[in-house]
Amino acid sequence: MSDTAEDRGRCGDGTRAVRAGLPEPVKHEPTLPGPVFAAHFHLPGEVTGPYAYGRDDNPTWTLLERAIGELEAPGRDGAETLVFASGMAATSSVLFSQLRAGDAVVLPSDGYQVLPLVRAQLEAYGIEVRTAPTGGDAQLEALDGARLLWIESPANPGLDVCDIRRLVAAAHAQGALVAVDNTLATPLGQRPLELGADFSVASGTKQLTGHGDVLLGYVTGRDAEAMAAVRRWRKIAGAICGPMEAWLAHRSIATLQLRVERQNATALAVAKVLKERPEVSHLRYPGLPDDPSHKIASGQMRRYGCVVSFTLPTRARAERFLQALHLVEDATSFGGVRSTAERRRRWGGDDVPEGFIRMSVGAEDPEDLIADLLRALDESAE
């Protein structure tokens, strides 16, 4: 039986996730080959063929890159995916391979908390960095003359959303490239390349792999020359993932649709319950019909993610709430099958209130999780 990427491109999300990146079946061989551990490969004569040295390529990466590409750009010829050691390695590869001294880049002012560190390094290299919030498509005002627009939608941790199509059109009209951080949405929630972006970049550490045991990043792009520069940066920086991590990631993608459906549905249920609590303010979840981002999100997202953000009155209240939880781990990151939550101001990098909570909804039974949240809210009251 033949099972090509083109065939899978016409399938539903669950079928595509289960079969993404699998090689053609060979009798007596595993359906998903194990990780290839190799620093070098046999290479007599001329340097031809795909595998020569372990920093350049690896068969386990190849299968994972095909799998992610089939999710990010199903049926799109010419799209290429490259995997990295982490989400920040993937992010850095795009920024530092596409920008030169004298260029300008537009970053979100409300994005991932490591972006200010990236800004300092870009400026040290003579690159102008402009910032604007995600909400209200405010980045449009900073686009003039920019070489690259970096979008994070939904933004982490505040969950604002921008109109990606609108920003892409404006950026391309000025000759700028567009990269979209797709970490929170995942390819099952949003496909930036279909919205016109040049790059879709993500941390595979989060919901893509979903078990909190793999550090991974990736870049999917549709321009061969731009992706060649990204590949070159990966080789220079050596920011490569190990074969075991790549294999674990590929294995985990098979359950992505199941996890996303459960976690997103529970996130909506959690948001609806938290909305009724008087001590909860500034609740955000793009899937709520009355969320400020719901209309725009509904026009470009197929699923709204597993992250809910809200604010409790004080730092002390937030910390008591987190300590009272039984089924939610006080931990950073998001997207895992076990629910997590944290007070984001403890890191110092996010412009949020002291009582701001970012919660990642896991795969627990919704009734159990909601009961735990409500009990913790009651017990943490002064």
Side-chain angles (χ1 to χ4, degrees):
M1 180 188 70
S2 176
D3 176 28
T4 65
E6 183 179 355
D7 293 332
R8 294 191 288 270
R10 292 191 289 265
C11 294
D13 286 341
T15 303
R16 189 179 301 114
V18 166
R19 305 198 63 82
L22 296 182
E24 287 293 320
V26 177
K27 189 175 183 178
H28 305 308
E29 293 294 325
T31 55
L32 177 61
V36 175
F37 299 101
H40 59 267
F41 300 82
H42 287 295
L43 195 65
E46 295 299 322
V47 180
T48 59
Y51 307 112
Y53 186 62
R55 190 182 65 247
D56 298 330
D57 259 315
N58 177 287
T60 311
W61 302 353
T62 298
L63 296 180
L64 174 60
E65 288 168 345
R66 289 176 187 170
I68 295 173
E70 289 174 21
L71 299 178
E72 280 280 357
R76 183 181 288 273
D77 293 335
E80 180 182 3
T81 297
L82 297 172
V83 293
F84 291 81
S86 68
M88 280 310 303
T91 296
S92 299
S93 76
V94 173
L95 292 170
F96 291 105
S97 71
Q98 304 302 314
L99 296 169
R100 304 287 184 272
D103 286 344
V105 60
V106 181
L107 302 179
S109 60
D110 54 343
Y112 182 46
Q113 60 142 347
V114 181
L115 287 180
L117 297 178
V118 175
R119 175 178 186 163
Q121 192 61 55
L122 289 168
E123 290 177 336
Y125 289 159
I127 297 165
E128 179 188 354
V129 180
R130 308 168 188 166
T131 62
T134 299
D137 298 343
Q139 288 177 296
L140 286 172
E141 300 302 317
L143 267 180
D144 188 34
R147 165 66 180 162
L148 175 68
L149 168 64
W150 188 275
I151 294 171
E152 190 174 307
S153 181
N156 171 31
L159 302 184
D160 265 334
V161 169
C162 63
D163 186 334
I164 295 175
R165 291 187 186 90
R166 183 185 180 201
L167 268 67
V168 165
H172 284 173
Q174 299 187 32
L177 296 168
V178 180
V180 176
D181 185 329
N182 205 35
T183 303
L184 200 146
T186 82
L188 298 194
Q190 179 173 271
R191 295 181 188 141
L193 267 61
E194 290 184 358
L195 301 173
D198 301 286
F199 303 99
S200 180
V201 187
S203 167
T205 306
K206 312 299 194 294
Q207 197 172 22
L208 184 83
T209 56
H211 293 78
D213 55 7
V214 172
L215 285 174
L216 187 85
Y218 70 85
V219 179
T220 300
R222 54 183 182 159
D223 180 80
E225 184 177 351
M227 288 303 293
V230 173
R231 180 183 289 273
R232 181 173 179 271
W233 180 263
R234 182 177 70 175
K235 180 173 182 174
I236 293 170
I240 59 172
C241 66
M244 190 65 193
E245 286 77 8
W247 185 85
L248 286 169
H250 198 168
R251 177 211 60 176
S252 299
I253 285 174
T255 62
L256 178 61
Q257 190 265 351
L258 299 173
R259 291 184 280 108
V260 163
E261 291 290 354
R262 176 62 170 263
Q263 291 172 257
N264 289 15
T266 305
L268 179 60
V270 164
K272 288 179 177 177
V273 168
L274 292 176
K275 182 181 173 183
E276 303 304 318
R277 295 289 300 208
E279 67 269 59
V280 171
S281 64
H282 301 96
L283 175 72
R284 296 299 303 270
Y285 182 67
L288 282 173
D290 59 351
D291 185 273
S293 293
H294 181 73
K295 183 176 180 181
I296 294 174
S298 297
Q300 62 194 23
M301 300 182 73
R302 297 180 299 131
R303 297 174 177 88
Y304 300 103
C306 64
V307 176
V308 178
S309 68
F310 57 96
T311 301
L312 293 176
T314 64
R315 170 178 175 170
R317 178 69 188 276
E319 290 176 344
R320 290 197 304 270
F321 166 72
L322 292 169
Q323 291 168 4
L325 292 165
H326 294 162
L327 297 180
V328 183
E329 299 169 355
D330 190 341
T332 195
S333 196
F334 58 85
V337 292
R338 291 175 291 278
S339 293
T340 60
E342 68 170 337
R343 193 181 66 83
R344 286 296 293 177
R345 273 294 291 274
R346 67 181 179 174
W347 295 98
D350 293 311
D351 185 17
V352 292
E354 289 285 357
F356 179 93
I357 301 289
R358 184 187 71 184
M359 179 178 178
S360 172
V361 176
E364 297 89 356
D365 287 312
E367 299 81 7
D368 295 336
L369 187 58
I370 288 171
D372 190 43
L373 291 168
L374 294 177
R375 180 195 50 75
L377 284 172
D378 291 339
E379 290 184 5
S380 62
E382 294 180 341

